[in-house]
Amino acid sequence: MPGTFEPLPGGGAAVALDDVEISIIRSLAVQLLELIGPGPGEDAPDDPLAELFAEGPSEPPSDPVLKRLFPDAYSDPEGTPEAQEAEEQRAYSSEFRRYTENDLRAGKRDNALAVIRSLDALSPAGDGGAVLKLSADESRQWLGSLNDLRLAIGSRLEITDEEDTDLLYRLPDEDPRKPMVMAYLWLGGLQETLVSTLLP
């Protein structure tokens, strides 16, 4: 089971992690939380009505990682649309973002917090690592967070397609991006094995 998720009887998944792996995942999840930022009203007193009617931003984030995590809902992936069509897409995306981004951010925060809490609750094993056991719901939160972490790292590495990923395997060891590449590939392996535990 080292390094790969395996299904648990009755649902859920388990993976053996060493102390370094636990530290890396936890650190990345904390960085993701910091990047996503606090939710609406987290700096203010609780007001359920204000939270219910809070509107999100209408413009896309300027940070490329946040743009990847919160992309425009309406865009033409096939090319550059005509000026009028592009303006309509921006308007639709702006409206969609205003009413959905707060909830999307809250979901990503909840997933990252679930990762951190489950790692913090681990009991060390005799060999310096631990076995992480997740329920089916926790597995889905981990899957969402692993996906967000890979999107964030992929954005920093400027990965846009499969060819970019192939180039990562050929980076020399002295390349400063190498540690981030190794984390990206390792998280991809974890994500893939976790997906397989959730399939019927």
Side-chain angles (χ1 to χ4, degrees):
M1 179 176 25
T4 60
F5 277 98
E6 293 184 3
L8 289 174
V15 63
L17 299 170
D18 65 31
D19 289 340
V20 173
E21 293 169 331
I22 292 167
S23 176
I24 290 170
I25 296 172
R26 191 184 190 288
S27 175
L28 290 172
V30 167
Q31 290 176 52
L32 182 65
L33 275 176
E34 291 170 355
L35 182 67
I36 293 170
E42 285 185 23
D43 297 329
D46 289 336
D47 181 356
L49 286 178
E51 190 174 314
L52 180 65
F53 294 106
E55 292 183 2
S58 58
E59 294 299 318
S62 57
D63 185 300
V65 173
L66 289 175
K67 271 187 183 175
R68 190 89 173 261
L69 291 172
F70 305 103
D72 278 336
Y74 300 91
S75 63
D76 184 0
E78 299 301 318
T80 307
E82 297 294 325
Q84 181 178 353
E85 186 182 351
E87 188 58 39
E88 286 176 359
Q89 287 177 0
R90 278 192 292 277
Y92 294 147
S93 290
S94 174
E95 192 73 0
F96 186 83
R97 182 178 299 280
R98 194 158 57 103
Y99 292 110
T100 61
E101 188 167 312
N102 284 345
D103 287 341
L104 291 173
R105 283 181 184 259
K108 292 180 186 301
R109 268 192 302 275
D110 288 347
N111 290 344
L113 280 170
V115 167
I116 293 166
R117 288 179 181 137
S118 60
L119 292 174
D120 287 349
L122 284 176
S123 300
D127 57 358
V131 175
L132 174 70
K133 294 182 179 179
L134 303 173
S135 68
D137 287 341
E138 290 168 331
S139 294
R140 284 186 280 278
Q141 288 184 296
W142 263 75
L143 190 58
S145 202
L146 288 173
N147 186 59
D148 290 341
L149 290 172
R150 290 193 78 238
L151 284 173
I153 295 171
S155 180
R156 291 286 187 240
L157 291 170
E158 299 179 350
I159 297 170
T160 56
D161 57 33
E162 196 62 39
E163 284 180 21
D164 294 335
T165 305
D166 292 341
L167 292 174
L168 297 180
Y169 288 102
R170 296 193 291 274
L171 280 181
D173 288 343
E174 59 274 9
D175 192 299
R177 297 171 295 171
K178 190 72 171 194
M180 206 178 339
V181 167
M182 298 305 293
Y184 178 81
L185 297 172
W186 172 59
L187 292 173
L190 281 178
Q191 184 181 17
E192 189 176 324
T193 60
L194 183 54
V195 166
S196 70
T197 70
L198 296 171
L199 296 175

